[in-house]
Amino acid sequence: MKKKLPKAQKLPSGTWRCQVMVDGKRVSVVAETPGEAQAKAVALKNGLIEENALLKEERKGAITLKCAIDRYIENRENVLSPSTVSGYREIQRNRFRELMGKRVLDIEVSDLQAAVNAEAKTVSTKTIRNALGLTVAVISEYKDISSKRIRLPQRKRTEHAYLDEQGMMNLFEAIQSSPVEIPILLAVWLGMRRSEIMGLCWDSIDFEHSKILIRRTYIRGADGKYVLRDEMKTEASRRTLDCPGYILQKLEAYTPEHREGRVFLMHPNTIYDTMRDICRRHDIPFVGVHGLRHTNASVMLSLGIVDKVAMARGGWSTDITMKQIYQHVFQSDKDIAGGKVDLFFQAIADGKPFSAHEIAHE
């Protein structure tokens, strides 16, 4: 009777994996084709090759970069978050494509630099840096290689779009009674991330004490499907916020017939798409859902909220990201500051100076 071949599973990268039991332990074989994966798995199962020999073959670099990334992810599947795995898969599919089919042993620093140069024409420096970081980490498991001599494109300083005071007023009026009204309010008023809004469950809303407990996220898993997770982006992301009465009343009136599981059962893209349509109809600058979080951070800056409090509200681990990326200065604050500076120097020019403290409280 012909023995059944082990089943080859196609991985998100397009490579193939077979798993067989050897001495009571499950062993994975990764290869470019299902036939190659099955052949190696059968040989391993029948003792024709040893696991150490198979791994030694890989260690010698007789494995493509694409397969090596599969192995890298598989060896860390219990410690990597779904969002991290999803990011790695994105890099594997879309970045450094000319390197993915090359043997790890054959990839040199010059190849990485050429790949970086090619990517610089279409994607941001941050995207390239992430792809390079993963690629070097993977290759380093097979040979000595360093990214120190690789030059990245100069990072262009760009500010994320955000709303000013008038834009916020127009948006609040335009979203009333919209199915995305509450999600948008949670983003702009409380600074919640989209994944946190979509992961908000009824048991995380304390109506009695007017609190929202941010404990879960709704994110895309390694297979591309959205899943509810108790894991947060960082430990600082796990926070409790006071919920203003304005939002609490709207939550109390929202689908009162059932209060179990997730609050917002819409697809995550619905918030973005509906908000975009509303902004187009009402001639409001469209900043995207993440731009509302930028707006919230900028409001806190404008109001003089101290850094530690702002970080706690927004769920940032350090103030560097908050200050350098999320906080923007409103034009009205610039105008006020300019007026105070002009007042100070006009007094100097008139020979009637008064203290900066006095001007600050004008």
Side-chain angles (χ1 to χ4, degrees):
M1 183 176 177
K2 188 176 181 181
K3 289 186 177 181
K4 187 177 180 181
L5 290 174
K7 184 178 180 181
Q9 176 191 10
K10 189 172 185 179
L11 298 175
S13 64
T15 59
W16 295 82
R17 179 181 67 187
C18 280
Q19 293 182 319
V20 291
M21 297 298 294
V22 179
D23 296 330
K25 183 177 69 171
R26 188 178 298 277
V27 180
S28 295
V29 177
V30 179
E32 290 289 338
T33 66
E36 184 183 356
Q38 287 175 322
K40 288 185 176 181
V42 169
L44 191 65
K45 179 73 173 177
N46 294 331
L48 299 178
I49 58 173
E50 296 181 356
E51 180 185 359
N52 288 339
L54 183 65
L55 293 177
K56 189 179 292 185
E57 181 185 357
E58 291 185 1
R59 291 292 178 191
K60 287 181 179 178
I63 183 175
T64 64
L65 177 59
K66 184 190 291 185
C67 286
I69 293 176
D70 284 329
R71 180 68 74 185
Y72 185 88
I73 293 172
E74 183 175 331
N75 290 341
R76 293 160 177 78
E77 60 183 355
N78 293 328
V79 296
L80 295 177
S81 70
S83 59
T84 299
V85 173
S86 179
Y88 287 169
R89 293 297 187 195
E90 182 75 17
I91 291 171
Q92 190 183 40
R93 284 193 304 270
N94 300 314
R95 304 276 74 84
F96 298 170
R97 291 179 178 176
E98 66 278 11
L99 297 182
M100 288 299 163
K102 293 190 68 169
R103 293 196 316 160
V104 169
L105 188 65
D106 297 333
I107 299 176
E108 303 294 344
V109 170
S110 58
D111 299 309
L112 293 174
Q113 183 66 70
V116 166
N117 295 346
E119 295 285 353
K121 299 174 183 177
T122 57
V123 297
S124 69
T125 302
K126 180 182 178 182
T127 299
I128 297 173
R129 181 180 288 109
N130 292 342
L132 181 64
L134 172 63
T135 303
V136 170
V138 170
I139 296 175
S140 295
E141 297 204 336
Y142 301 88
K143 58 183 285 189
D144 289 333
I145 195 166
S146 172
S147 61
K148 290 182 179 179
R149 292 188 289 123
I150 299 174
R151 290 183 61 87
L152 292 171
Q154 188 173 3
R155 188 172 182 176
K156 296 178 181 178
R157 176 67 176 173
T158 57
E159 277 202 351
H160 197 289
Y162 63 98
L163 291 174
D164 60 14
E165 298 94 324
Q166 187 61 54
M168 283 182 269
M169 289 175 59
N170 294 341
L171 182 64
F172 272 45
E173 182 178 355
I175 62 175
Q176 288 186 21
S177 300
S178 163
V180 298
E181 179 182 15
I182 302 175
I184 287 176
L185 290 173
L186 292 174
V188 70
W189 197 318
L190 298 184
M192 291 175 63
R193 301 176 177 94
R194 186 182 71 163
S195 61
E196 296 168 347
I197 295 169
M198 298 306 301
L200 181 65
C201 294
W202 287 108
D203 63 5
S204 294
I205 303 174
D206 185 345
F207 286 97
E208 182 180 355
H209 301 98
S210 303
K211 304 282 186 183
I212 288 183
L213 287 68
I214 302 176
R215 298 290 184 270
R216 303 181 183 96
T217 55
Y218 191 64
I219 59 176
R220 198 187 298 272
D223 60 359
K225 297 179 180 179
Y226 281 93
V227 291
L228 183 65
R229 296 282 183 180
D230 290 329
E231 301 165 0
M232 304 299 294
K233 185 173 183 180
T234 65
E235 190 55 37
S237 300
R238 194 177 299 274
R239 59 203 189 277
T240 299
L241 298 174
D242 292 325
C243 184
Y246 185 86
I247 295 178
L248 200 65
Q249 289 177 6
K250 294 181 182 295
L251 282 168
E252 287 175 336
Y254 188 72
T255 56
E257 66 275 6
H258 68 278
R259 295 190 180 275
E260 294 181 356
R262 290 171 48 233
V263 177
F264 308 108
L265 301 179
M266 63 189 73
H267 190 279
N269 291 343
T270 300
I271 306 176
Y272 181 96
D273 295 338
T274 307
M275 179 183 167
R276 179 192 56 202
D277 294 341
I278 289 173
C279 289
R280 284 176 178 173
R281 290 199 307 269
H282 294 271
D283 197 24
I284 301 169
F286 178 60
V287 300
V289 182
H290 201 58
L292 300 178
R293 182 166 159 81
H294 281 257
T295 301
N296 176 270
S298 303
V299 168
M300 290 193 287
L301 175 65
S302 179
L303 296 176
I305 306 298
V306 297
D307 289 347
K308 283 196 173 183
V309 175
M311 287 166 57
R313 284 182 59 86
W316 290 288
S317 300
T318 69
D319 64 352
I320 296 175
T321 299
M322 180 184 72
K323 289 180 175 180
Q324 293 186 355
I325 298 176
Y326 284 89
Q327 290 186 329
H328 313 274
V329 180
F330 292 127
Q331 185 59 48
S332 58
D333 289 330
K334 294 179 183 178
D335 294 340
I336 292 172
K340 289 182 176 181
V341 171
D342 291 344
L343 186 62
F344 176 85
F345 282 105
Q346 187 60 54
I348 294 291
D350 293 341
K352 301 175 182 178
F354 50 97
S355 71
H357 178 76
E358 291 176 293
I359 293 178
H361 291 83
E362 280 287 323

